[in-house]
PDB file of all heavy atoms in Angstrom:
ATOM      1  N   GLY A   1      -7.080  42.109  -0.323  1.00 53.00           N
ATOM      2  CA  GLY A   1      -7.599  43.404  -0.739  1.00 53.00           C
ATOM      3  C   GLY A   1      -8.880  43.306  -1.516  1.00 53.00           C
ATOM      4  O   GLY A   1      -9.154  44.122  -2.395  1.00 53.00           O
ATOM      5  N   GLY A   2      -9.666  42.261  -1.246  1.00 50.00           N
ATOM      6  CA  GLY A   2     -10.954  42.112  -1.903  1.00 50.00           C
ATOM      7  C   GLY A   2     -10.866  41.385  -3.215  1.00 50.00           C
ATOM      8  O   GLY A   2     -11.872  41.134  -3.858  1.00 50.00           O
ATOM      9  N   LYS A   3      -9.637  41.016  -3.684  1.00 52.00           N
ATOM     10  CA  LYS A   3      -9.486  40.330  -4.961  1.00 52.00           C
ATOM     11  C   LYS A   3      -8.839  38.982  -4.727  1.00 52.00           C
ATOM     12  O   LYS A   3      -7.895  38.862  -3.953  1.00 52.00           O
ATOM     13  CB  LYS A   3      -8.615  41.147  -5.920  1.00 52.00           C
ATOM     14  CG  LYS A   3      -9.251  42.463  -6.312  1.00 52.00           C
ATOM     15  CD  LYS A   3      -8.367  43.198  -7.290  1.00 52.00           C
ATOM     16  CE  LYS A   3      -8.986  44.538  -7.709  1.00 52.00           C
ATOM     17  NZ  LYS A   3      -8.131  45.246  -8.666  1.00 52.00           N
ATOM     18  N   PRO A   4      -9.325  37.924  -5.369  1.00 49.00           N
ATOM     19  CA  PRO A   4      -8.711  36.605  -5.203  1.00 49.00           C
ATOM     20  C   PRO A   4      -7.296  36.595  -5.772  1.00 49.00           C
ATOM     21  O   PRO A   4      -7.033  37.211  -6.802  1.00 49.00           O
ATOM     22  CB  PRO A   4      -9.635  35.674  -5.987  1.00 49.00           C
ATOM     23  CG  PRO A   4     -10.306  36.560  -6.988  1.00 49.00           C
ATOM     24  CD  PRO A   4     -10.462  37.899  -6.322  1.00 49.00           C
ATOM     25  N   THR A   5      -6.406  35.905  -5.085  1.00 49.00           N
ATOM     26  CA  THR A   5      -5.014  35.776  -5.514  1.00 49.00           C
ATOM     27  C   THR A   5      -4.852  34.488  -6.305  1.00 49.00           C
ATOM     28  O   THR A   5      -5.328  33.445  -5.899  1.00 49.00           O
ATOM     29  CB  THR A   5      -4.076  35.753  -4.296  1.00 49.00           C
ATOM     30  OG1 THR A   5      -4.308  36.935  -3.537  1.00 49.00           O
ATOM     31  CG2 THR A   5      -2.616  35.690  -4.732  1.00 49.00           C
ATOM     32  N   GLU A   6      -4.140  34.591  -7.418  1.00 52.00           N
ATOM     33  CA  GLU A   6      -3.923  33.401  -8.226  1.00 52.00           C
ATOM     34  C   GLU A   6      -3.022  32.417  -7.489  1.00 52.00           C
ATOM     35  O   GLU A   6      -2.126  32.806  -6.742  1.00 52.00           O
ATOM     36  CB  GLU A   6      -3.270  33.787  -9.564  1.00 52.00           C
ATOM     37  CG  GLU A   6      -4.192  34.606 -10.461  1.00 52.00           C
ATOM     38  CD  GLU A   6      -3.547  34.869 -11.799  1.00 52.00           C
ATOM     39  OE1 GLU A   6      -2.402  34.403 -11.979  1.00 52.00           O
ATOM     40  OE2 GLU A   6      -4.172  35.514 -12.641  1.00 52.00           O
ATOM     41  N   ARG A   7      -3.277  31.140  -7.708  1.00 50.00           N
ATOM     42  CA  ARG A   7      -2.499  30.081  -7.070  1.00 50.00           C
ATOM     43  C   ARG A   7      -1.082  30.069  -7.625  1.00 50.00           C
ATOM     44  O   ARG A   7      -0.862  30.181  -8.822  1.00 50.00           O
ATOM     45  CB  ARG A   7      -3.173  28.733  -7.328  1.00 50.00           C
ATOM     46  CG  ARG A   7      -2.507  27.554  -6.629  1.00 50.00           C
ATOM     47  CD  ARG A   7      -3.213  26.289  -7.027  1.00 50.00           C
ATOM     48  NE  ARG A   7      -2.599  25.125  -6.393  1.00 50.00           N
ATOM     49  CZ  ARG A   7      -2.936  23.886  -6.686  1.00 50.00           C
ATOM     50  NH1 ARG A   7      -3.861  23.655  -7.605  1.00 50.00           N
ATOM     51  NH2 ARG A   7      -2.335  22.874  -6.073  1.00 50.00           N
ATOM     52  N   SER A   8      -0.089  29.939  -6.730  1.00 50.00           N
ATOM     53  CA  SER A   8       1.299  29.895  -7.153  1.00 50.00           C
ATOM     54  C   SER A   8       1.536  28.665  -8.028  1.00 50.00           C
ATOM     55  O   SER A   8       1.202  27.556  -7.634  1.00 50.00           O
ATOM     56  CB  SER A   8       2.218  29.833  -5.929  1.00 50.00           C
ATOM     57  OG  SER A   8       3.536  29.528  -6.328  1.00 50.00           O
ATOM     58  N   PRO A   9       2.131  28.833  -9.220  1.00 53.00           N
ATOM     59  CA  PRO A   9       2.362  27.659 -10.082  1.00 53.00           C
ATOM     60  C   PRO A   9       3.344  26.674  -9.466  1.00 53.00           C
ATOM     61  O   PRO A   9       3.218  25.471  -9.648  1.00 53.00           O
ATOM     62  CB  PRO A   9       2.932  28.282 -11.369  1.00 53.00           C
ATOM     63  CG  PRO A   9       3.461  29.611 -10.962  1.00 53.00           C
ATOM     64  CD  PRO A   9       2.576  30.087  -9.847  1.00 53.00           C
ATOM     65  N   ILE A  10       4.327  27.193  -8.716  1.00 49.00           N
ATOM     66  CA  ILE A  10       5.307  26.288  -8.094  1.00 49.00           C
ATOM     67  C   ILE A  10       4.652  25.481  -6.997  1.00 49.00           C
ATOM     68  O   ILE A  10       4.801  24.253  -6.923  1.00 49.00           O
ATOM     69  CB  ILE A  10       6.494  27.093  -7.542  1.00 49.00           C
ATOM     70  CG1 ILE A  10       7.230  27.786  -8.685  1.00 49.00           C
ATOM     71  CG2 ILE A  10       7.449  26.186  -6.762  1.00 49.00           C
ATOM     72  CD1 ILE A  10       8.403  28.622  -8.240  1.00 49.00           C
ATOM     73  N   LEU A  11       3.894  26.174  -6.112  1.00 49.00           N
ATOM     74  CA  LEU A  11       3.214  25.451  -5.040  1.00 49.00           C
ATOM     75  C   LEU A  11       2.186  24.483  -5.600  1.00 49.00           C
ATOM     76  O   LEU A  11       1.989  23.389  -5.068  1.00 49.00           O
ATOM     77  CB  LEU A  11       2.542  26.439  -4.087  1.00 49.00           C
ATOM     78  CG  LEU A  11       3.487  27.245  -3.182  1.00 49.00           C
ATOM     79  CD1 LEU A  11       2.680  28.220  -2.338  1.00 49.00           C
ATOM     80  CD2 LEU A  11       4.293  26.317  -2.290  1.00 49.00           C
ATOM     81  N   GLY A  12       1.540  24.891  -6.680  1.00 54.00           N
ATOM     82  CA  GLY A  12       0.560  23.994  -7.283  1.00 54.00           C
ATOM     83  C   GLY A  12       1.208  22.744  -7.838  1.00 54.00           C
ATOM     84  O   GLY A  12       0.702  21.633  -7.662  1.00 54.00           O
ATOM     85  N   TRP A  13       2.364  22.912  -8.488  1.00 52.00           N
ATOM     86  CA  TRP A  13       3.071  21.744  -9.033  1.00 52.00           C
ATOM     87  C   TRP A  13       3.544  20.835  -7.916  1.00 52.00           C
ATOM     88  O   TRP A  13       3.420  19.610  -8.008  1.00 52.00           O
ATOM     89  CB  TRP A  13       4.264  22.227  -9.860  1.00 52.00           C
ATOM     90  CG  TRP A  13       5.050  21.096 -10.471  1.00 52.00           C
ATOM     91  CD1 TRP A  13       4.791  20.441 -11.619  1.00 52.00           C
ATOM     92  CD2 TRP A  13       6.215  20.475  -9.905  1.00 52.00           C
ATOM     93  NE1 TRP A  13       5.718  19.452 -11.838  1.00 52.00           N
ATOM     94  CE2 TRP A  13       6.605  19.445 -10.796  1.00 52.00           C
ATOM     95  CE3 TRP A  13       6.957  20.690  -8.746  1.00 52.00           C
ATOM     96  CZ2 TRP A  13       7.705  18.657 -10.555  1.00 52.00           C
ATOM     97  CZ3 TRP A  13       8.052  19.892  -8.509  1.00 52.00           C
ATOM     98  CH2 TRP A  13       8.417  18.892  -9.399  1.00 52.00           C
ATOM     99  N   LEU A  14       4.095  21.420  -6.835  1.00 54.00           N
ATOM    100  CA  LEU A  14       4.536  20.613  -5.707  1.00 54.00           C
ATOM    101  C   LEU A  14       3.365  19.891  -5.054  1.00 54.00           C
ATOM    102  O   LEU A  14       3.467  18.728  -4.664  1.00 54.00           O
ATOM    103  CB  LEU A  14       5.247  21.490  -4.665  1.00 54.00           C
ATOM    104  CG  LEU A  14       6.638  22.005  -5.053  1.00 54.00           C
ATOM    105  CD1 LEU A  14       7.156  22.954  -3.981  1.00 54.00           C
ATOM    106  CD2 LEU A  14       7.605  20.847  -5.251  1.00 54.00           C
ATOM    107  N   GLY A  15       2.240  20.593  -4.954  1.00 56.00           N
ATOM    108  CA  GLY A  15       1.078  19.964  -4.356  1.00 56.00           C
ATOM    109  C   GLY A  15       0.606  18.768  -5.153  1.00 56.00           C
ATOM    110  O   GLY A  15       0.269  17.723  -4.593  1.00 56.00           O
ATOM    111  N   ASP A  16       0.599  18.923  -6.497  1.00 61.00           N
ATOM    112  CA  ASP A  16       0.191  17.793  -7.335  1.00 61.00           C
ATOM    113  C   ASP A  16       1.156  16.618  -7.185  1.00 61.00           C
ATOM    114  O   ASP A  16       0.733  15.449  -7.145  1.00 61.00           O
ATOM    115  CB  ASP A  16       0.143  18.231  -8.813  1.00 61.00           C
ATOM    116  CG  ASP A  16      -0.967  19.247  -9.069  1.00 61.00           C
ATOM    117  OD1 ASP A  16      -1.909  19.289  -8.241  1.00 61.00           O
ATOM    118  OD2 ASP A  16      -0.875  20.000 -10.055  1.00 61.00           O
ATOM    119  N   ALA A  17       2.454  16.926  -7.095  1.00 58.00           N
ATOM    120  CA  ALA A  17       3.449  15.853  -6.930  1.00 58.00           C
ATOM    121  C   ALA A  17       3.264  15.147  -5.597  1.00 58.00           C
ATOM    122  O   ALA A  17       3.311  13.921  -5.513  1.00 58.00           O
ATOM    123  CB  ALA A  17       4.860  16.431  -7.050  1.00 58.00           C
ATOM    124  N   PHE A  18       3.063  15.937  -4.534  1.00 55.00           N
ATOM    125  CA  PHE A  18       2.877  15.340  -3.213  1.00 55.00           C
ATOM    126  C   PHE A  18       1.607  14.507  -3.159  1.00 55.00           C
ATOM    127  O   PHE A  18       1.573  13.427  -2.577  1.00 55.00           O
ATOM    128  CB  PHE A  18       2.823  16.431  -2.134  1.00 55.00           C
ATOM    129  CG  PHE A  18       4.166  17.037  -1.845  1.00 55.00           C
ATOM    130  CD1 PHE A  18       4.298  18.405  -1.676  1.00 55.00           C
ATOM    131  CD2 PHE A  18       5.291  16.237  -1.735  1.00 55.00           C
ATOM    132  CE1 PHE A  18       5.528  18.953  -1.399  1.00 55.00           C
ATOM    133  CE2 PHE A  18       6.526  16.790  -1.460  1.00 55.00           C
ATOM    134  CZ  PHE A  18       6.651  18.160  -1.297  1.00 55.00           C
ATOM    135  N   ARG A  19       0.540  15.009  -3.777  1.00 60.00           N
ATOM    136  CA  ARG A  19      -0.723  14.262  -3.772  1.00 60.00           C
ATOM    137  C   ARG A  19      -0.572  12.941  -4.520  1.00 60.00           C
ATOM    138  O   ARG A  19      -1.074  11.903  -4.097  1.00 60.00           O
ATOM    139  CB  ARG A  19      -1.840  15.106  -4.390  1.00 60.00           C
ATOM    140  CG  ARG A  19      -2.455  16.123  -3.423  1.00 60.00           C
ATOM    141  CD  ARG A  19      -3.752  16.675  -3.986  1.00 60.00           C
ATOM    142  NE  ARG A  19      -3.516  17.420  -5.216  1.00 60.00           N
ATOM    143  CZ  ARG A  19      -3.223  18.718  -5.241  1.00 60.00           C
ATOM    144  NH1 ARG A  19      -3.121  19.388  -4.110  1.00 60.00           N
ATOM    145  NH2 ARG A  19      -3.031  19.345  -6.373  1.00 60.00           N
ATOM    146  N   GLY A  20       0.150  12.990  -5.665  1.00 61.00           N
ATOM    147  CA  GLY A  20       0.357  11.761  -6.421  1.00 61.00           C
ATOM    148  C   GLY A  20       1.155  10.737  -5.635  1.00 61.00           C
ATOM    149  O   GLY A  20       0.832   9.554  -5.615  1.00 61.00           O
ATOM    150  N   GLY A  21       2.222  11.208  -4.955  1.00 59.00           N
ATOM    151  CA  GLY A  21       3.025  10.291  -4.145  1.00 59.00           C
ATOM    152  C   GLY A  21       2.243   9.731  -2.981  1.00 59.00           C
ATOM    153  O   GLY A  21       2.332   8.544  -2.660  1.00 59.00           O
ATOM    154  N   ALA A  22       1.448  10.580  -2.320  1.00 58.00           N
ATOM    155  CA  ALA A  22       0.669  10.111  -1.173  1.00 58.00           C
ATOM    156  C   ALA A  22      -0.394   9.115  -1.606  1.00 58.00           C
ATOM    157  O   ALA A  22      -0.633   8.110  -0.925  1.00 58.00           O
ATOM    158  CB  ALA A  22       0.017  11.311  -0.474  1.00 58.00           C
ATOM    159  N   ASP A  23      -1.046   9.382  -2.740  1.00 62.00           N
ATOM    160  CA  ASP A  23      -2.069   8.447  -3.229  1.00 62.00           C
ATOM    161  C   ASP A  23      -1.453   7.090  -3.567  1.00 62.00           C
ATOM    162  O   ASP A  23      -2.039   6.039  -3.310  1.00 62.00           O
ATOM    163  CB  ASP A  23      -2.765   9.032  -4.466  1.00 62.00           C
ATOM    164  CG  ASP A  23      -3.626  10.236  -4.108  1.00 62.00           C
ATOM    165  OD1 ASP A  23      -3.966  10.374  -2.910  1.00 62.00           O
ATOM    166  OD2 ASP A  23      -3.941  11.034  -5.008  1.00 62.00           O
ATOM    167  N   PHE A  24      -0.250   7.117  -4.158  1.00 56.00           N
ATOM    168  CA  PHE A  24       0.405   5.866  -4.512  1.00 56.00           C
ATOM    169  C   PHE A  24       0.759   5.063  -3.267  1.00 56.00           C
ATOM    170  O   PHE A  24       0.508   3.857  -3.180  1.00 56.00           O
ATOM    171  CB  PHE A  24       1.661   6.146  -5.336  1.00 56.00           C
ATOM    172  CG  PHE A  24       2.493   4.920  -5.613  1.00 56.00           C
ATOM    173  CD1 PHE A  24       2.103   3.991  -6.557  1.00 56.00           C
ATOM    174  CD2 PHE A  24       3.668   4.704  -4.896  1.00 56.00           C
ATOM    175  CE1 PHE A  24       2.868   2.861  -6.796  1.00 56.00           C
ATOM    176  CE2 PHE A  24       4.431   3.576  -5.132  1.00 56.00           C
ATOM    177  CZ  PHE A  24       4.035   2.655  -6.089  1.00 56.00           C
ATOM    178  N   LEU A  25       1.367   5.734  -2.263  1.00 55.00           N
ATOM    179  CA  LEU A  25       1.796   5.031  -1.053  1.00 55.00           C
ATOM    180  C   LEU A  25       0.626   4.557  -0.214  1.00 55.00           C
ATOM    181  O   LEU A  25       0.760   3.667   0.611  1.00 55.00           O
ATOM    182  CB  LEU A  25       2.700   5.946  -0.211  1.00 55.00           C
ATOM    183  CG  LEU A  25       4.088   6.227  -0.802  1.00 55.00           C
ATOM    184  CD1 LEU A  25       4.830   7.237   0.058  1.00 55.00           C
ATOM    185  CD2 LEU A  25       4.903   4.944  -0.924  1.00 55.00           C
ATOM    186  N   SER A  26      -0.549   5.184  -0.403  1.00 58.00           N
ATOM    187  CA  SER A  26      -1.706   4.786   0.394  1.00 58.00           C
ATOM    188  C   SER A  26      -2.364   3.509  -0.135  1.00 58.00           C
ATOM    189  O   SER A  26      -3.202   2.921   0.542  1.00 58.00           O
ATOM    190  CB  SER A  26      -2.738   5.924   0.409  1.00 58.00           C
ATOM    191  OG  SER A  26      -3.240   6.165  -0.903  1.00 58.00           O
ATOM    192  N   ARG A  27      -1.982   3.080  -1.328  1.00 59.00           N
ATOM    193  CA  ARG A  27      -2.567   1.858  -1.891  1.00 59.00           C
ATOM    194  C   ARG A  27      -1.920   0.631  -1.272  1.00 59.00           C
ATOM    195  O   ARG A  27      -0.698   0.576  -1.109  1.00 59.00           O
ATOM    196  CB  ARG A  27      -2.375   1.830  -3.409  1.00 59.00           C
ATOM    197  CG  ARG A  27      -3.035   3.012  -4.120  1.00 59.00           C
ATOM    198  CD  ARG A  27      -2.708   3.002  -5.597  1.00 59.00           C
ATOM    199  NE  ARG A  27      -3.244   4.173  -6.261  1.00 59.00           N
ATOM    200  CZ  ARG A  27      -3.034   4.465  -7.548  1.00 59.00           C
ATOM    201  NH1 ARG A  27      -2.309   3.636  -8.282  1.00 59.00           N
ATOM    202  NH2 ARG A  27      -3.554   5.547  -8.076  1.00 59.00           N
ATOM    203  N   PRO A  28      -2.699  -0.395  -0.907  1.00 57.00           N
ATOM    204  CA  PRO A  28      -2.127  -1.609  -0.299  1.00 57.00           C
ATOM    205  C   PRO A  28      -1.098  -2.283  -1.187  1.00 57.00           C
ATOM    206  O   PRO A  28      -0.093  -2.803  -0.713  1.00 57.00           O
ATOM    207  CB  PRO A  28      -3.349  -2.505  -0.069  1.00 57.00           C
ATOM    208  CG  PRO A  28      -4.511  -1.556  -0.003  1.00 57.00           C
ATOM    209  CD  PRO A  28      -4.178  -0.444  -0.962  1.00 57.00           C
ATOM    210  N   LEU A  29      -1.341  -2.265  -2.503  1.00 53.00           N
ATOM    211  CA  LEU A  29      -0.415  -2.945  -3.406  1.00 53.00           C
ATOM    212  C   LEU A  29       0.918  -2.214  -3.506  1.00 53.00           C
ATOM    213  O   LEU A  29       1.940  -2.823  -3.794  1.00 53.00           O
ATOM    214  CB  LEU A  29      -1.050  -3.061  -4.800  1.00 53.00           C
ATOM    215  CG  LEU A  29      -0.245  -3.813  -5.870  1.00 53.00           C
ATOM    216  CD1 LEU A  29       0.012  -5.243  -5.408  1.00 53.00           C
ATOM    217  CD2 LEU A  29      -0.976  -3.785  -7.205  1.00 53.00           C
ATOM    218  N   ALA A  30       0.922  -0.900  -3.238  1.00 52.00           N
ATOM    219  CA  ALA A  30       2.147  -0.121  -3.393  1.00 52.00           C
ATOM    220  C   ALA A  30       3.231  -0.609  -2.450  1.00 52.00           C
ATOM    221  O   ALA A  30       4.387  -0.772  -2.838  1.00 52.00           O
ATOM    222  CB  ALA A  30       1.862   1.362  -3.150  1.00 52.00           C
ATOM    223  N   MET A  31       2.870  -0.842  -1.179  1.00 54.00           N
ATOM    224  CA  MET A  31       3.863  -1.309  -0.209  1.00 54.00           C
ATOM    225  C   MET A  31       4.409  -2.676  -0.601  1.00 54.00           C
ATOM    226  O   MET A  31       5.588  -2.956  -0.450  1.00 54.00           O
ATOM    227  CB  MET A  31       3.238  -1.368   1.187  1.00 54.00           C
ATOM    228  CG  MET A  31       4.258  -1.615   2.291  1.00 54.00           C
ATOM    229  SD  MET A  31       5.448  -0.283   2.451  1.00 54.00           S
ATOM    230  CE  MET A  31       4.371   1.024   3.047  1.00 54.00           C
ATOM    231  N   THR A  32       3.533  -3.534  -1.138  1.00 57.00           N
ATOM    232  CA  THR A  32       3.990  -4.854  -1.561  1.00 57.00           C
ATOM    233  C   THR A  32       4.980  -4.741  -2.714  1.00 57.00           C
ATOM    234  O   THR A  32       6.016  -5.408  -2.729  1.00 57.00           O
ATOM    235  CB  THR A  32       2.779  -5.704  -1.996  1.00 57.00           C
ATOM    236  OG1 THR A  32       1.873  -5.815  -0.887  1.00 57.00           O
ATOM    237  CG2 THR A  32       3.224  -7.098  -2.432  1.00 57.00           C
ATOM    238  N   LEU A  33       4.675  -3.868  -3.685  1.00 54.00           N
ATOM    239  CA  LEU A  33       5.566  -3.700  -4.823  1.00 54.00           C
ATOM    240  C   LEU A  33       6.905  -3.112  -4.392  1.00 54.00           C
ATOM    241  O   LEU A  33       7.966  -3.561  -4.843  1.00 54.00           O
ATOM    242  CB  LEU A  33       4.898  -2.795  -5.872  1.00 54.00           C
ATOM    243  CG  LEU A  33       3.694  -3.388  -6.604  1.00 54.00           C
ATOM    244  CD1 LEU A  33       3.070  -2.347  -7.514  1.00 54.00           C
ATOM    245  CD2 LEU A  33       4.113  -4.615  -7.402  1.00 54.00           C
ATOM    246  N   LEU A  34       6.853  -2.101  -3.510  1.00 57.00           N
ATOM    247  CA  LEU A  34       8.092  -1.497  -3.041  1.00 57.00           C
ATOM    248  C   LEU A  34       8.933  -2.503  -2.266  1.00 57.00           C
ATOM    249  O   LEU A  34      10.151  -2.543  -2.390  1.00 57.00           O
ATOM    250  CB  LEU A  34       7.780  -0.278  -2.169  1.00 57.00           C
ATOM    251  CG  LEU A  34       7.249   0.952  -2.909  1.00 57.00           C
ATOM    252  CD1 LEU A  34       6.865   2.034  -1.918  1.00 57.00           C
ATOM    253  CD2 LEU A  34       8.292   1.495  -3.878  1.00 57.00           C
ATOM    254  N   SER A  35       8.282  -3.329  -1.450  1.00 57.00           N
ATOM    255  CA  SER A  35       9.010  -4.345  -0.689  1.00 57.00           C
ATOM    256  C   SER A  35       9.635  -5.368  -1.624  1.00 57.00           C
ATOM    257  O   SER A  35      10.772  -5.793  -1.446  1.00 57.00           O
ATOM    258  CB  SER A  35       8.077  -5.038   0.302  1.00 57.00           C
ATOM    259  OG  SER A  35       7.558  -4.116   1.228  1.00 57.00           O
ATOM    260  N   ALA A  36       8.874  -5.776  -2.638  1.00 56.00           N
ATOM    261  CA  ALA A  36       9.373  -6.791  -3.566  1.00 56.00           C
ATOM    262  C   ALA A  36      10.556  -6.280  -4.378  1.00 56.00           C
ATOM    263  O   ALA A  36      11.438  -7.046  -4.755  1.00 56.00           O
ATOM    264  CB  ALA A  36       8.243  -7.228  -4.503  1.00 56.00           C
ATOM    265  N   ILE A  37      10.577  -4.973  -4.644  1.00 59.00           N
ATOM    266  CA  ILE A  37      11.667  -4.403  -5.433  1.00 59.00           C
ATOM    267  C   ILE A  37      12.833  -3.995  -4.546  1.00 59.00           C
ATOM    268  O   ILE A  37      13.993  -4.289  -4.829  1.00 59.00           O
ATOM    269  CB  ILE A  37      11.169  -3.186  -6.239  1.00 59.00           C
ATOM    270  CG1 ILE A  37      10.109  -3.629  -7.260  1.00 59.00           C
ATOM    271  CG2 ILE A  37      12.319  -2.487  -6.943  1.00 59.00           C
ATOM    272  CD1 ILE A  37       9.434  -2.487  -7.967  1.00 59.00           C
ATOM    273  N   ALA A  38      12.530  -3.284  -3.454  1.00 58.00           N
ATOM    274  CA  ALA A  38      13.598  -2.714  -2.632  1.00 58.00           C
ATOM    275  C   ALA A  38      14.313  -3.755  -1.796  1.00 58.00           C
ATOM    276  O   ALA A  38      15.521  -3.646  -1.575  1.00 58.00           O
ATOM    277  CB  ALA A  38      13.016  -1.624  -1.723  1.00 58.00           C
ATOM    278  N   LEU A  39      13.596  -4.780  -1.308  1.00 57.00           N
ATOM    279  CA  LEU A  39      14.244  -5.782  -0.459  1.00 57.00           C
ATOM    280  C   LEU A  39      15.321  -6.552  -1.215  1.00 57.00           C
ATOM    281  O   LEU A  39      16.455  -6.680  -0.725  1.00 57.00           O
ATOM    282  CB  LEU A  39      13.195  -6.737   0.120  1.00 57.00           C
ATOM    283  CG  LEU A  39      13.730  -7.795   1.094  1.00 57.00           C
ATOM    284  CD1 LEU A  39      14.451  -7.153   2.260  1.00 57.00           C
ATOM    285  CD2 LEU A  39      12.591  -8.679   1.602  1.00 57.00           C
ATOM    286  N   PRO A  40      15.035  -7.081  -2.420  1.00 64.00           N
ATOM    287  CA  PRO A  40      16.134  -7.728  -3.156  1.00 64.00           C
ATOM    288  C   PRO A  40      17.274  -6.765  -3.464  1.00 64.00           C
ATOM    289  O   PRO A  40      18.440  -7.160  -3.447  1.00 64.00           O
ATOM    290  CB  PRO A  40      15.452  -8.220  -4.446  1.00 64.00           C
ATOM    291  CG  PRO A  40      14.006  -8.364  -4.078  1.00 64.00           C
ATOM    292  CD  PRO A  40      13.745  -7.247  -3.102  1.00 64.00           C
ATOM    293  N   ALA A  41      16.944  -5.500  -3.749  1.00 62.00           N
ATOM    294  CA  ALA A  41      17.994  -4.513  -4.024  1.00 62.00           C
ATOM    295  C   ALA A  41      18.870  -4.296  -2.795  1.00 62.00           C
ATOM    296  O   ALA A  41      20.092  -4.166  -2.901  1.00 62.00           O
ATOM    297  CB  ALA A  41      17.372  -3.185  -4.460  1.00 62.00           C
ATOM    298  N   LEU A  42      18.234  -4.259  -1.609  1.00 64.00           N
ATOM    299  CA  LEU A  42      18.993  -4.096  -0.368  1.00 64.00           C
ATOM    300  C   LEU A  42      19.896  -5.293  -0.125  1.00 64.00           C
ATOM    301  O   LEU A  42      21.063  -5.145   0.254  1.00 64.00           O
ATOM    302  CB  LEU A  42      18.025  -3.903   0.804  1.00 64.00           C
ATOM    303  CG  LEU A  42      18.659  -3.693   2.184  1.00 64.00           C
ATOM    304  CD1 LEU A  42      19.519  -2.439   2.189  1.00 64.00           C
ATOM    305  CD2 LEU A  42      17.573  -3.589   3.251  1.00 64.00           C
ATOM    306  N   LEU A  43      19.366  -6.498  -0.345  1.00 62.00           N
ATOM    307  CA  LEU A  43      20.178  -7.703  -0.171  1.00 62.00           C
ATOM    308  C   LEU A  43      21.346  -7.725  -1.153  1.00 62.00           C
ATOM    309  O   LEU A  43      22.459  -8.122  -0.800  1.00 62.00           O
ATOM    310  CB  LEU A  43      19.310  -8.947  -0.364  1.00 62.00           C
ATOM    311  CG  LEU A  43      18.211  -9.167   0.684  1.00 62.00           C
ATOM    312  CD1 LEU A  43      17.367 -10.380   0.315  1.00 62.00           C
ATOM    313  CD2 LEU A  43      18.816  -9.336   2.070  1.00 62.00           C
ATOM    314  N   LEU A  44      21.093  -7.276  -2.392  1.00 63.00           N
ATOM    315  CA  LEU A  44      22.158  -7.233  -3.388  1.00 63.00           C
ATOM    316  C   LEU A  44      23.229  -6.238  -2.984  1.00 63.00           C
ATOM    317  O   LEU A  44      24.432  -6.480  -3.159  1.00 63.00           O
ATOM    318  CB  LEU A  44      21.577  -6.857  -4.757  1.00 63.00           C
ATOM    319  CG  LEU A  44      22.577  -6.741  -5.916  1.00 63.00           C
ATOM    320  CD1 LEU A  44      23.294  -8.073  -6.135  1.00 63.00           C
ATOM    321  CD2 LEU A  44      21.871  -6.295  -7.190  1.00 63.00           C
ATOM    322  N   LEU A  45      22.809  -5.087  -2.401  1.00 62.00           N
ATOM    323  CA  LEU A  45      23.769  -4.084  -1.956  1.00 62.00           C
ATOM    324  C   LEU A  45      24.657  -4.645  -0.847  1.00 62.00           C
ATOM    325  O   LEU A  45      25.876  -4.435  -0.846  1.00 62.00           O
ATOM    326  CB  LEU A  45      23.028  -2.845  -1.455  1.00 62.00           C
ATOM    327  CG  LEU A  45      23.896  -1.723  -0.876  1.00 62.00           C
ATOM    328  CD1 LEU A  45      24.871  -1.209  -1.933  1.00 62.00           C
ATOM    329  CD2 LEU A  45      23.024  -0.589  -0.350  1.00 62.00           C
ATOM    330  N   VAL A  46      24.059  -5.367   0.103  1.00 58.00           N
ATOM    331  CA  VAL A  46      24.841  -5.979   1.182  1.00 58.00           C
ATOM    332  C   VAL A  46      25.849  -6.970   0.618  1.00 58.00           C
ATOM    333  O   VAL A  46      27.009  -7.028   1.041  1.00 58.00           O
ATOM    334  CB  VAL A  46      23.908  -6.661   2.199  1.00 58.00           C
ATOM    335  CG1 VAL A  46      24.717  -7.457   3.223  1.00 58.00           C
ATOM    336  CG2 VAL A  46      23.045  -5.625   2.912  1.00 58.00           C
ATOM    337  N   LEU A  47      25.413  -7.766  -0.358  1.00 60.00           N
ATOM    338  CA  LEU A  47      26.308  -8.743  -0.987  1.00 60.00           C
ATOM    339  C   LEU A  47      27.462  -8.057  -1.698  1.00 60.00           C
ATOM    340  O   LEU A  47      28.619  -8.473  -1.586  1.00 60.00           O
ATOM    341  CB  LEU A  47      25.518  -9.608  -1.972  1.00 60.00           C
ATOM    342  CG  LEU A  47      26.321 -10.643  -2.777  1.00 60.00           C
ATOM    343  CD1 LEU A  47      26.981 -11.635  -1.830  1.00 60.00           C
ATOM    344  CD2 LEU A  47      25.425 -11.363  -3.769  1.00 60.00           C
TER     345      LEU A  47
END
C-alpha cells in the first residue's frame, strides 16, 4: 500500500540462525571438526 512493511522479528531471528549455521558448515575446518567429534561418538554408540 505504498508503505514499507517492517521485517518479521521471528523470520529475522530464524534467518540469522540459518545464516550462522550455513556459514559454519561452509568452512572447510567445520566438516573436519564435526567428523572428529561425531565419528568417535558414533563408534562409542555402536559399542
Side-chain angles (χ1 to χ4, degrees):
K3 295 182 180 180
T5 304
E6 293 184 0
R7 184 183 179 187
S8 169
I10 296 179
L11 288 178
W13 180 84
L14 288 175
D16 293 339
F18 286 138
R19 279 194 296 272
D23 291 341
F24 173 75
L25 290 175
S26 64
R27 300 175 184 176
L29 183 60
M31 190 64 68
T32 301
L33 291 175
L34 288 175
S35 299
I37 296 172
L39 183 57
L42 181 61
L43 294 176
L44 179 60
L45 177 60
V46 173
L47 177 61

